[in-house]
Amino acid sequence: MHKTRTPKEVLELASREGVQIVDCKFIDWPGQWQHTSFPMHELEESSFEDGFGFDGSSIRGWQAIHNSDMLIIPDPETAIIDPFCEHTTLSLICDIADPITREPYSRDPRYIAKKALKYLNLTGIADQAFFGPEAEFFILDDVRFETSQNAGYYFLDSVEGRWNTGVDEGPNLGYKPRYKEGYFPVPPTDHQHNLRSEMVIEMEKLGVVIECHHHEVATGGQAEIDMRFAPLTQMADQLLLYKYVCKNVARRAGKTVTFMPKPIFDDNGSGMHVHQSLWKGGEPIFAGNEYAGVSQECLYYIGGLIKHARAIAAFTNPTTNSYKRLVPGFEAPVNLAYSSRNRSAAVRIPMYSASPAAKRIEARWPDPSCNPYLAFTAMLMAGLDGIENKIDPGDPLDRDIYSLSPEELSGVPVMPGTLAEALDCLEENHEFLLKGDVFTEDALETWLEYKRENEVAAVARRPHPHEFELYYDV
């Protein structure tokens, strides 16, 4: 992905491949890809400037109906041939613009990410921000759910699920990972090895460089595929492509994928550890002679992440389900501390390599339900605020945080316990996000309003199935 291509070269690619359909993809406000398609003859060199019109009022969190006309502007550097379409299809990721002013749309998450990189350059601190997310997900065989006035339930199943050890599967062959012991047995206990390999092969065909794949800790088909780090906007593009490939490869095999942070009760949830580093003039600025071989700038970056983590959780952990994962006992970091090697810390400094180029930090609290453009941007802005204001992260915590007493943890800040709390934290602490006009007040207010009305309130006012277990006979 992101080869340097001109519009003319994209048209030449389409001609060579016999493209019949052009598919224009863009991200909505909560973080899902949307698309609209055109016959190939509709794509011309001028389309990469003029764009195509669409109804912005039908996209979640965007325009009012009286200002609904908007433009999608294809980015030629994102051109790929979509491997899942029956007819040869050219896929292009698009930016959003106002049709009258031709200005980029302030609520386009991809534009917000691009503004963050411009601001990074203006600070003089660095000229490139690299991100490497490790998104976890579940590969399932069956999912059913419903909520209505008189019913509410969900049902998940996987041939791998430990809960199926006693089921007559005609025959049941066993080999089902024990709860919290899915990291990482070989096949046949790892049922999904070949399917993950297929996902990797499809991604690499599309230009996404993969470093590894493996089963994750939970039973029931939990998986992880790791991409090589890339610049912020490119990596956000790639993460959406990653989800697209995983879901469509699974569907092709008669299975289904979910990136929900906590779909299975009492086993590990799906996180998205995000590796981050800053570079300037081709040199890494996080390498140095301080703790764990990092620079003072890196420590300040960590200080900014820890200081603002509770606020940016509204972007990095943006669903009510996110906070079913952020509880002690399931490897999700609740306490905001940093360390080298220690996976119970919210920020870890990986120690796999002594090379300065490999020096980075890893934020361990985010999850893959996020809008990656907004989540990566929020983390970058928090880290930059740490460097600009020399925010001291305090002393590292090199002990198992889960084993510490309440007294020992009394000075360690904790993540929000609910999405509602995270949104309140963002409302109270967001000035650092407004620097360089990266986020706007309108964008933040829209995010808060959308999440509170469409998710927090919607979940809060519905009876929960477990409430019937607890209270039906009161």
Side-chain angles (χ1 to χ4, degrees), residues 156-197:
L156 307 176
D157 206 5
S158 165
V159 68
E160 258 197 18
R162 189 68 180 177
W163 54 83
N164 281 325
T165 55
V167 173
D168 183 0
E169 295 178 336
N172 190 324
L173 301 178
Y175 300 117
K176 302 178 191 301
R178 297 175 185 87
Y179 295 107
K180 302 185 73 170
E181 291 188 24
Y183 189 90
F184 17 91
V186 298
T189 302
D190 179 1
H191 289 62
Q192 315 294 5
H193 170 80
N194 290 333
L195 193 61
R196 292 195 310 272
S197 291

Side-chain angles (χ1 to χ4, degrees), residues 116 119 376-386 432-433 435 438-439:
Y119 176 71
F376 296 167
T377 295
M379 285 187 281
L380 175 62
M381 296 300 288
L384 290 178
D385 188 62
F432 66 100
L433 296 172
K435 293 179 181 178
V438 173
F439 282 88

Side-chain angles (χ1 to χ4, degrees), residues 56-79:
S57 68
S58 296
I59 304 301
R60 296 181 296 173
W62 278 10
Q63 293 292 81
I65 196 165
H66 62 279
N67 282 322
S68 60
D69 289 351
M70 302 188 77
L71 293 174
I72 47 175
I73 311 293
D75 181 345
E77 294 190 3
T78 65

Side-chain angles (χ1 to χ4, degrees), residues 23 62 106 112 124-125 141 155 202 313 356 386 419 435:
D23 193 54
W62 278 10
S106 64
I112 290 172
I125 293 169
D141 292 287
F155 177 83
E202 290 288 8
L419 177 58
K435 293 179 181 178

